[in-house]
Each structure stands twice: as structure tokens, then as C-alpha cells.
């Protein structure tokens, strides 16, 4: 994997984690958590996608050629 692609994935992953954190702590998400006891789907997808992108990006940067 190219190091440039790894860096891009790392940056995109960090951005997705930020958006996921903001969505998780939004007032609408807190109301949903209070009523159903679960987080909103969009917040979870942002957090999962961000975590995967960060891991793959780090792998690409460390092992890239």
C-alpha cells in the first residue's frame, strides 16, 4: 500500500472519528439514548468507519513502500 494512501486514510479516519464523537454527544443522540438506551446508528457508523480507516491508514503508513 502506498504511504500517501495510508496518510489519506489516516486523516479521513480522524475526521470520521471526530464527526462520530460529535454525533454521539449531540442533543438528539442523548434523547435517543435516554429513551431507547442505544446510540444512534449514524454515530456508530461514523465511529466504526473512523476506527477502521485509522487502523488501515496506520498500517499503510508503517508498512507502506
Amino acid at each position: 500500500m502506498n504511504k500517501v494512501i495510508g496518510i489519506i486514510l489516516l486523516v479521513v479516519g480522524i475526521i470520521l472519528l471526530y464527526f462520530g464523537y460529535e454525533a454521539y454527544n449531540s442533543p438528539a443522540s442523548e434523547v435517543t439514548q435516554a429513551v431507547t438506551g442505544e446510540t444512534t446508528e449514524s454515530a456508530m457508523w461514523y465511529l466504526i468507519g473512523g476506527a477502521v480507516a485509522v487502523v488501515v491508514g496506520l498500517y499503510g503508513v508503517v508498512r507502506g513502500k
Side-chain angles (χ1 to χ4, degrees), residues 4-58:
V4 174
I5 295 172
I7 291 170
I8 291 171
L9 280 173
L10 189 61
V11 170
V12 168
I14 291 170
I15 292 170
L16 285 174
L17 286 174
Y18 172 76
F19 282 131
Y21 177 77
E22 290 295 318
Y24 184 80
N25 290 323
S26 71
S29 180
E30 289 181 7
V31 169
T32 302
Q33 289 175 6
V35 173
T36 64
E38 297 179 1
T39 60
T40 59
E41 281 190 34
S42 63
M44 289 304 297
W45 282 114
Y46 279 128
L47 292 171
I48 292 169
V52 169
V54 166
V55 169
V56 172
L58 281 174

Side-chain angles (χ1 to χ4, degrees), residues 1-9 57 59-65:
M1 179 182 294
N2 195 343
K3 281 193 177 190
V4 174
I5 295 172
I7 291 170
I8 291 171
L9 280 173
Y59 178 79
V61 169
V62 172
R63 302 287 278 171
K65 296 180 180 180

